[in-house]
Amino acid sequence: MEADLIIRDATLPDGRSGCDIVIAEGLVQAVGPSIPAAAREELDAQGRLVSPPFVDCHFHMDATLSLGLPRLNQSGTLLEGIALWGELKPLLTHEAVIERALNYCDLAVARGIGAIRSHVDVCDDRLLGVEALLEVKDRVASYLDLQLVAFPQDGLYRDPTARANLLRALDLGVEVVGGIPHFERTMEDGRQSVVDLCEIAAERGLLVDLHCDESDDPHSRHIETLARETERLGLGGRVAGSHLTSMHSMDNYYVSKLLPLIAEAGVAAIANPLINIVIQGRHDTYPKRRGLTRIAELQAAGVPVGFGHDCVMDPWYSLGSGDMLEVAHMAVHAAQLTSREAMRAAFAAVTSVPASILGLDGYGLEPGCHADLVLLDAEDPIEAIRLKATRLVVVRRGRVIAETAAPVSQLHLPDRPASVSPRRAARG
Ligand code: FE2
């Protein structure tokens, strides 16, 4: 059989090098050295890294690319961001949300993202964002997997119609139950919201992903309840706690008890390094907390840790470009994940780990997986993070869907080469 596409001489994220990847009928058919097969199209990776696509496990697509509408966040805090979003919400239109979301998806695909979990705010009786993103999900399905989370931004109980709207969103086809326990009026309301949301997910057979303890308050301990409810309802492997930034500020003794509880329950953690590093610690003078959760400690305890982009040009974050390597790069710095092993784990935190958190079918580069992959201008995952390497070719179901040229600068220097690229400079 003639294959559709063969990628020659690839290095894989697990370190295997000199691999050919044979693709036919949208699937990976074979992976290994020097495979004697023919294909309609061949791509020579020249030893570069070929990875399954990036997966963004935490995003807000209803708010993306809205920076400046209706004004900018002056304090940089989470609370002003929520207030600002509340000002923008009544002004949103179905068409504008769809257009911004599609524009973002174009950017994401070009950066090698193959799947996004996006929270969508249900605290709007029109459910405008929900209906818009369900339409976007259909429209991008051939090139991007979009998984939606029903997210009661203004509080499941704090907003009078949030709970009913959340159930309506789930009825419309939103597949993950979201929440924000630290934003409820009291610690007890927050605890009860976690119980309630987990029971809703258990009844409906859905996944759970709560904004959980996105706070510098060391007493914000809703992750404890999330782990307990996951265990009680048998939801292990289907639940994620997003942010968990209060763990940064918690007492070490308490964390030593908490980490095994999270691991035993089968709850995954999602850190959002770009957002956590700019939003948290805003009430501190000096020393100023970094505000990331305890990534290395969670990983060491056996908790799957994925990284999300969270925001791009919205009320909470004015930067970002759909680049999961930028996310991993920030995590490596802010959480000091600088050992070779920790940097490889940071690459996994934007690829294979979030793929399992989302429950993606057929993700990977083994035979039988979907032929979705990214050719990077890097020799391995560590160089990919270092350079935020160009995504030279993006393939979806065996078809090239995006290409980007590697950056090369022309030099005009005496007795020096005519050009330089970030990769070549490192090789001397
Ligand atoms: Fe978020």
Side-chain angles (χ1 to χ4, degrees):
M1 179 182 73
E2 190 187 46
D4 297 321
L5 173 66
I6 297 180
I7 314 231
R8 299 285 188 194
D9 191 18
T11 298
L12 306 185
D14 64 10
R16 281 179 285 168
S17 61
C19 285
D20 294 347
I21 304 168
V22 181
I23 291 165
E25 295 171 343
L27 300 173
V28 175
Q29 303 290 341
V31 181
S34 307
I35 297 176
R40 279 200 291 278
E41 190 181 353
E42 283 210 9
L43 251 170
D44 186 357
Q46 298 180 313
R48 293 186 181 89
L49 176 65
V50 172
S51 170
F54 296 104
V55 177
D56 182 359
C57 53
H58 188 118
F59 196 65
H60 294 265
M61 203 173 279
D62 49 357
T64 195
L65 305 184
S66 68
L67 183 68
L69 299 175
R71 61 179 176 84
L72 293 168
N73 184 334
Q74 297 299 329
S75 66
T77 59
L78 173 70
L79 296 181
E80 184 175 346
I82 293 174
L84 212 168
W85 174 238
E87 293 170 35
L88 175 56
K89 260 193 282 189
L91 310 176
L92 294 174
T93 67
H94 186 78
E95 293 72 23
V97 172
I98 287 177
E99 189 186 351
R100 288 196 288 264
L102 288 174
N103 288 344
Y104 182 75
C105 290
D106 292 345
L107 189 60
V109 165
R111 299 297 184 103
I113 293 177
I116 299 175
R117 170 181 282 182
S118 175
H119 297 255
V120 52
D121 188 0
V122 298
C123 294
D124 169 5
D125 293 343
R126 301 172 299 168
L127 289 187
L128 184 143
V130 171
E131 289 181 354
L133 290 194
L134 283 167
E135 185 176 329
V136 169
K137 178 182 162 132
D138 281 346
R139 286 172 66 172
V140 303
S142 66
Y143 55 89
L144 181 72
D145 296 312
L146 180 56
Q147 186 181 75
L148 299 178
V149 186
F151 175 48
Q153 171 75 76
D154 299 330
L156 186 73
Y157 303 139
R158 192 166 166 179
D159 179 279
T161 55
R163 193 177 186 282
N165 288 344
L166 180 131
L167 296 175
R168 284 170 59 211
L170 299 178
D171 290 341
L172 288 171
V174 172
E175 60 252 76
V176 186
V177 178
I180 186 164
H182 56 275
F183 193 68
E184 304 293 347
R185 285 193 178 86
T186 64
M187 208 61 90
E188 174 52 25
D189 280 0
R191 191 200 66 79
Q192 182 54 43
S193 79
V194 175
V195 174
D196 196 358
L197 292 163
C198 286
E199 287 179 349
I200 290 168
E203 275 165 27
R204 294 177 175 237
L206 299 174
L207 305 175
V208 177
D209 186 342
L210 307 186
H211 283 65
C212 195
D213 305 322
E214 187 181 5
S215 162
D216 293 319
D217 175 5
H219 303 294
S220 188
R221 294 178 171 188
H222 298 297
I223 179 59
E224 180 186 79
T225 308
L226 184 60
R228 174 67 182 120
E229 289 306 296
T230 300
E231 190 268 331
R232 180 177 75 84
L233 296 163
L235 292 172
R238 290 162 48 189
V239 175
S242 278
H243 293 294
L244 306 180
T245 52
S246 73
M247 285 183 69
H248 186 98
S249 300
M250 283 175 183
D251 172 71
N252 287 334
Y253 186 88
Y254 173 66
V255 172
S256 72
K257 178 198 173 197
L258 179 62
L259 287 169
L261 293 178
I262 300 170
E264 286 162 22
V267 173
I270 296 174
N272 297 294
L274 294 168
I275 285 20
N276 300 152
I277 200 74
V278 298
I279 294 265
Q280 303 305 319
R282 288 277 177 169
H283 296 262
D284 292 356
T285 55
Y286 290 93
K288 192 184 274 286
R289 286 168 287 183
R290 294 175 190 222
L292 253 69
T293 192
R294 303 194 189 201
I295 294 168
E297 291 77 6
L298 284 159
Q299 289 169 331
V303 177
V305 181
F307 300 156
H309 205 313
D310 201 358
C311 302
V312 170
M313 299 184 72
D314 69 11
W316 295 273
Y317 186 59
S318 61
L319 303 175
S321 64
D323 186 351
M324 295 310 294
L325 286 173
E326 187 172 293
V327 172
H329 191 268
M330 178 56 77
V332 165
H333 287 76
Q336 300 180 327
L337 306 171
T338 48
S339 72
R340 311 301 281 178
E341 191 182 30
M343 286 194 278
R344 279 189 284 272
F347 189 85
V350 291
T351 51
S352 56
V353 175
S356 70
I357 291 173
L358 267 64
L360 295 181
D361 284 331
Y363 179 89
L365 291 178
E366 299 310 314
C369 291
H370 290 305
D372 301 345
L373 53 86
V374 185
L375 168 61
L376 291 128
D377 192 22
E379 67 176 8
D380 60 22
I382 295 171
E383 190 176 56
I385 292 173
R386 181 176 74 83
L387 298 176
K388 293 168 223 141
T390 304
R391 276 119 273 202
L392 298 169
V393 179
V394 180
V395 171
R396 170 89 171 184
R397 305 297 193 256
R399 194 171 70 82
V400 173
I401 59 167
E403 294 178 83
T404 306
V408 177
S409 302
Q410 301 305 310
L411 295 184
H412 309 284
L413 300 173
D415 307 320
R416 298 304 303 156
S419 66
V420 67
S421 70
R423 282 196 78 206
R424 225 176 332 123
R427 278 157 189 72

